[in-house]
Amino acid sequence: MGLCLDKKSSKTAAIVFQISYHGYASSKINDIEPHKLLTTKGIFCARHKHDADDDDQHIEFAGGKVQLITTKDSWDQKLSEASRDGKIVLANFSATWCGPCRQIAPLYSELSEKYPSLLFLLVDVDELSDFSTSWEIKATPTFFFLRDGQQVDKLVGANKPELQKKITAIVDSIPPRDK
């Protein structure tokens, strides 16, 4: 489990980081390897010591049915299509340098194949920094669940069980004829 945090909001970020490790004993919160702390473009990225060392692995961020958003226009187009088709959008605001983002990318790709009733989008916070700022991204990955362009849920951090739980709840809320 891991989380990348915005330096500008370090006070809030510290609280979010501790919450993200809620499942671990409190002594584990401090079990972060300092050399695994990365900073770039104002965001902190830390990994728990027990996370797999995947620095040298190439992970396909936009595999499966995940659609990469490269412009604000493509974002608007996908949200319009989703509204027209009655689909819920799951948008992953992520960064290629972020360990937790790379860690959860394969699951996100798998889920995109498993749940065709959802539209899975990927936004690179570095490529679309102004757009990401408009969504008040303070940590990566951040997942937004959108219905008709409006946020219905949000998840901050690479918490696989919680992401699956939220997706299941969203899918269960879709009327049977639309699934």
Side-chain angles (χ1 to χ4, degrees), residues 138-176:
K138 304 285 188 230
T140 56
T142 297
F143 300 91
F144 287 97
F145 295 81
L146 309 169
R147 183 178 306 198
D148 296 322
Q150 301 299 311
Q151 180 181 331
V152 294
D153 207 347
K154 178 180 174 180
L155 174 65
V156 178
N159 186 329
K160 292 177 182 182
E162 190 64 20
L163 179 61
Q164 290 176 309
K165 179 178 163 186
K166 286 181 179 285
I167 288 173
T168 300
I170 290 287
V171 169
D172 287 348
S173 75
I174 299 172

Side-chain angles (χ1 to χ4, degrees), residues 88-99:
I88 294 176
V89 173
L90 178 49
N92 175 2
F93 285 79
S94 194
T96 57
W97 50 262
C98 174

Side-chain angles (χ1 to χ4, degrees), residues 5-23:
L5 306 164
D6 188 338
K7 281 197 282 193
K8 294 178 222 162
S9 60
S10 60
K11 190 172 190 177
T12 303
I15 294 167
V16 171
F17 191 78
Q18 289 180 2
I19 291 170
S20 75
Y21 278 93
H22 180 67

Side-chain angles (χ1 to χ4, degrees), residues 17 25-26 45 49 66 69 71 90 98 111-112 117 120 132 141 147 163 173:
F17 191 78
S26 59
C45 181
K49 273 186 182 179
V66 177
I69 299 300
T71 65
L90 178 49
C98 174
L111 293 170
S112 75
S117 60
F120 287 75
S132 298
R147 183 178 306 198
L163 179 61
S173 75

Side-chain angles (χ1 to χ4, degrees), residues 59-132:
I59 294 177
E60 191 69 35
F61 267 68
K65 294 185 179 181
V66 177
Q67 298 182 39
L68 181 63
I69 299 300
T70 57
T71 65
K72 170 74 166 81
D73 287 340
S74 66
W75 170 267
D76 292 339
Q77 179 185 0
K78 293 299 178 188
L79 259 57
S80 177
E81 289 172 14
S83 291
R84 181 192 66 222
D85 298 341
K87 288 189 171 191
I88 294 176
V89 173
L90 178 49
N92 175 2
F93 285 79
S94 194
T96 57
W97 50 262
C98 174
C101 299
R102 291 193 316 259
Q103 180 185 24
I104 204 163
L107 174 65
Y108 192 68
S109 178
E110 287 174 28
L111 293 170
S112 75
E113 297 281 347
K114 184 176 179 180
Y115 296 102
S117 60
L118 303 179
L119 177 60
F120 287 75
L121 303 180
L122 178 70
V123 178
D124 185 321
V125 297
D126 292 325
E127 296 296 319
L128 292 174
S129 59
D130 290 340
F131 179 70
S132 298

